């Protein structure tokens, strides 16, 4: 299991991560834009500007830590009924591999007790079990159990 910080930005993730890359060095491990997301039936189309925003980016800081982030759109805020607020725009991300699916489910269920589930732990288009929640103390968590290579 690996714990990492996951940051949310309001449209400037790419600029922020180019800055962090200049500070910490290294190369981006992964960059996905919203234009890479498969469109679901009944889903409102994103504007071209939103399609170019970052859905996920990761920058290894050292052998144990990866800084990750995404842009949060107004559409996401409306869907989750959650406003973007600078200062609380981060999650603790727990990353597990395919052999740890039971542990991913256990951790998600345990952290969700008396909390609020933002997205239930379920399979995703990027080949993982993923879920997000806010625990009973107001801490935001993401669980990502990679089942296959993205």
């Amino acid at each position: 299991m690996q714990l990492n910080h996951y940051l949310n930005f309001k449209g400037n993730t790419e600029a922020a991560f180019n800055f962090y890359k200049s500070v910490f060095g290294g190369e981006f491990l992964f960059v996905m834009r919203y234009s890479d997301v498969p469109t679901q039936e009944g889903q409102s189309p994103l504007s071209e500007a939103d399609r170019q925003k970052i859905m996920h980016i990761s920058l290894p800081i050292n052998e144990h830590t990866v800084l990750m982030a995404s842009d949060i759109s107004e559409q996401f805020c409306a869907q989750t009924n959650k406003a973007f607020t600078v200062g609380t725009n981060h999650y603790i991300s727990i990353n597990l591999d395919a052999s740890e699916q039971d542990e991913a489910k256990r951790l998600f269920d345990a952290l969700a007790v008396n909390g609020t589930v933002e997205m239930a732990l379920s399979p995703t288009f990027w080949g993982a079990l993923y879920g997000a929640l806010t625990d009973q103390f107001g801490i935001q968590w993401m669980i990502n159990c990679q089942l296959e290579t993205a």
Side-chain angles (χ1 to χ4, degrees):
M1 177 187 343
Q2 186 178 33
L3 292 175
N4 293 300
H5 285 280
Y6 200 101
L7 308 174
N8 294 136
F9 294 90
K10 196 169 185 178
N12 59 344
T13 298
E14 190 165 8
F17 267 65
N18 282 326
F19 170 73
Y20 298 144
K21 183 178 172 183
S22 75
V23 171
F24 297 109
E27 296 298 325
F28 297 129
L29 185 62
F30 191 84
V31 178
M32 178 184 283
R33 297 186 184 277
Y34 282 100
S35 60
D36 299 323
V37 177
T39 304
Q40 296 178 357
E41 190 174 322
Q43 184 180 28
S44 300
L46 295 173
S47 68
E48 186 56 34
D50 281 346
R51 290 175 48 78
Q52 293 309 309
K53 291 180 180 174
I54 302 294
M55 182 189 159
H56 178 77
I57 190 167
S58 56
L59 177 65
I61 303 300
N62 60 38
E63 64 181 302
H64 305 290
T65 305
V66 180
L67 186 62
M68 298 179 280
S70 61
D71 283 314
I72 298 299
S73 67
E74 294 300 323
Q75 184 179 11
F76 175 82
C77 291
Q79 288 173 343
T80 61
N81 199 28
K82 197 172 184 183
F84 175 90
T85 306
V86 173
T88 62
N89 53 325
H90 66 277
Y91 288 76
I92 298 173
S93 178
I94 300 176
N95 301 284
L96 304 110
D97 64 33
S99 68
E100 299 174 292
Q101 291 179 56
D102 290 340
E103 181 67 356
K105 291 173 187 174
R106 186 192 72 76
L107 289 167
F108 188 88
D109 292 344
L111 289 166
V113 171
N114 298 322
T116 304
V117 173
E118 181 179 313
M119 183 175 170
L121 189 67
S122 57
T124 65
F125 70 88
W126 64 85
L129 282 177
Y130 172 83
L133 62 97
T134 302
D135 73 18
Q136 61 186 312
F137 300 103
I139 304 301
Q140 298 177 119
W141 296 87
M142 294 177 171
I143 307 289
N144 189 82
C145 181
Q146 199 64 41
L147 302 176
E148 55 190 66
T149 304

